[in-house]
Amino acid sequence: MYIKNPKEIEKRSFEIIGENIDEKRFDERELKIVKRVIHTTADFEFADILKISKEAIDTGIKAIKEGSNIVTDTKMAMAGINKKTLKRFGCDISCFIDAPEVLSLAKEKSITRSMASMIIASQDKKNKIFVIGNAPTALFQLAELIKSGILKPDLIIGVPVGFVGAAESKEEVKELGIPYIITEGRKGGSNIAAAIINALMYMIE
């Protein structure tokens, strides 16, 4: 015998997560994000390494309610974000990784396409939420754009995964004065980035 109803599967999954972490460490809204990430990964370590800055949840919810544009670093992250819910709030979502101008800029400057995509995204001031799940170079470039005054997003979700620059890029975000949700260390991923933005939207619903 096994559970067949999808709602019951999710309900039981979240119960199991709650039984295996110290829920008292988080406030109600933080806990929803943490549980959503663990539900996505089946990895309880995210209860320790997920870090949410003081204003991040309020700022993120406000930006979504205002219909802010969301930029992702990968198509995978974009695919994982609930489009039906986004549409209800009037939010647009973009990933510039394959845009011709990104390819041209990356070649011209000898930088990664992820870096070039952040530069192109910074040209539209409506892009207020940046969701980075794969490329540390995208997060480093985002930090440079913010420090130079070119860009001031409302929220950064910075959870790139990897061995080269991943941990360092996320530490950089902490110093920018921008609300953030990050994972410390090497762990992360596009699926986690999508799970975090989805958790914020589900709070509003």
Side-chain angles (χ1 to χ4, degrees), residues 24-40:
K24 294 177 183 178
R25 292 170 52 195
F26 311 99
D27 66 31
E28 183 181 356
R29 296 187 303 172
E30 290 171 343
L31 187 59
K32 288 180 178 179
I33 296 173
V34 170
K35 282 188 169 183
R36 180 67 55 183
V37 169
I38 295 173
H39 180 256
T40 299

Side-chain angles (χ1 to χ4, degrees), residues 37-55:
V37 169
I38 295 173
H39 180 256
T40 299
T41 60
D43 186 344
F44 291 107
E45 188 181 354
F46 282 101
D48 298 317
I49 65 174
L50 192 68
K51 303 300 176 183
I52 303 170
S53 71
K54 187 177 179 182
E55 304 297 330

Side-chain angles (χ1 to χ4, degrees), residues 60 63-64 68-71 127-131 153-155 157 197:
I64 292 168
S68 299
N69 291 356
I70 297 171
V71 175
N127 294 330
K128 290 294 186 179
I129 301 175
F130 284 78
V131 181
D154 289 341
L155 175 67
I157 296 173
I197 197 75

Side-chain angles (χ1 to χ4, degrees), residues 80-107:
I81 295 171
N82 190 317
K83 308 301 185 303
K84 188 181 293 185
T85 305
L86 269 184
K87 190 175 181 180
R88 282 204 277 275
F89 298 118
C91 296
D92 287 327
I93 185 166
S94 302
C95 177
F96 297 94
I97 198 72
D98 289 334
E101 60 267 38
V102 165
L103 301 175
S104 176
L105 183 63
K107 185 176 181 180

